[in-house]
Amino acid sequence: MTGSADAPIAPLRRAWRRARPSLLLVLPILLALAALGFGAAAWRAERTNRTIAALDAGEDAAVAPDAPVPLLVARVRFLAARDRLEETEPLVAALDRAAAPEAAARARYLVANARVRDAFARIARSDLDKAGPQVTLARQDYRRALRDRPDFWDAKFNLDVASRLIRDFPEFDRTSGDEMRAEPKQIWTDIPGQPRGGP
């Protein structure tokens, strides 16, 4: 009985004996390759973290568009804080291509905040012609951030602030072509019985 029970196992034993020397040779190579892979990934993560820390400390560091997502956001934050908004455009586009909606929303929020800060500075200098387009672009960026992350409360609040600027300075809307629907022409003033313009 035992001989018949061992019959199906015998070919397996022979196969194991034949394969064992090869496996003993290949296994250390596979383990070494895995260790190298993990080591390279850890080195890349460490380098990314060092670059993010440098950017957060105010040191300029070049970042390629194919860099890891957290590094792209850190670079956008660095550039937006220094009003270098044109340099943020390829990085935000890279976040879109990376299918990272949360990070893209954060980056657009940072850029929009920089635009609103610039608009406030221009309004303080009575430079309304250049403040209007900044407010319009900021509103568009806030909307795109909310499209990617509808629960982004800070972006909602700041969009409301930018929209109030449009209400307070209606010439912004006329000169800068926001994507919002134009309001119908008002023929009468807000005071009943007082038509605009009369003799």
Side-chain angles (χ1 to χ4, degrees):
M1 279 309 264
T2 47
S4 63
D6 288 342
I9 299 173
L12 292 174
R13 286 182 180 159
R14 283 194 298 272
W16 169 248
R17 275 193 225 113
R18 279 196 301 267
R20 188 171 44 184
S22 301
L23 286 174
L24 291 175
L25 183 65
V26 169
L27 191 59
I29 295 171
L30 291 175
L31 290 173
L33 289 174
L36 282 174
F38 286 125
W43 177 76
R44 279 195 302 271
E46 174 62 26
R47 189 175 66 172
T48 296
N49 289 339
R50 272 198 319 267
T51 308
I52 290 172
L55 288 167
D56 288 345
E59 297 173 30
D60 200 353
V63 174
D66 61 345
V69 166
L71 185 52
L72 291 172
V73 174
R75 177 70 172 161
V76 168
R77 183 171 50 245
F78 175 86
L79 294 171
R82 286 152 184 81
D83 296 323
R84 293 163 56 184
L85 300 180
E86 286 154 14
E87 296 175 58
T88 65
E89 291 171 11
L91 303 176
V92 174
L95 288 168
D96 284 334
R97 285 192 303 274
E102 294 271 329
R106 183 73 185 160
R108 283 200 171 88
Y109 170 78
L110 293 167
V111 171
N113 285 350
R115 291 190 191 285
V116 170
R117 281 194 307 270
D118 183 53
F120 276 122
R122 291 178 188 278
I123 290 168
R125 295 192 306 264
S126 298
D127 188 6
L128 299 183
D129 289 340
K130 292 183 181 173
Q134 290 292 71
V135 173
T136 300
L137 290 171
R139 291 173 74 195
Q140 291 171 359
D141 282 332
Y142 286 133
R143 284 192 188 113
R144 288 182 189 140
L146 288 168
R147 180 195 63 206
D148 288 337
R149 188 176 153 197
D151 63 337
F152 198 168
W153 190 88
D154 289 343
K156 288 179 187 178
F157 181 84
N158 289 2
L159 174 60
D160 185 53
V161 170
S163 297
R164 287 173 193 263
L165 278 176
I166 293 289
R167 277 199 305 273
D168 292 343
F169 297 94
E171 57 271 17
F172 287 177
D173 217 15
R174 284 199 301 269
T175 58
S176 55
D178 192 14
E179 59 192 33
M180 292 186 68
R181 172 179 70 80
E183 293 190 19
K185 186 175 180 180
Q186 290 185 349
I187 299 172
W188 304 101
T189 62
D190 292 336
I191 304 172
Q194 297 292 324
R196 183 180 298 166

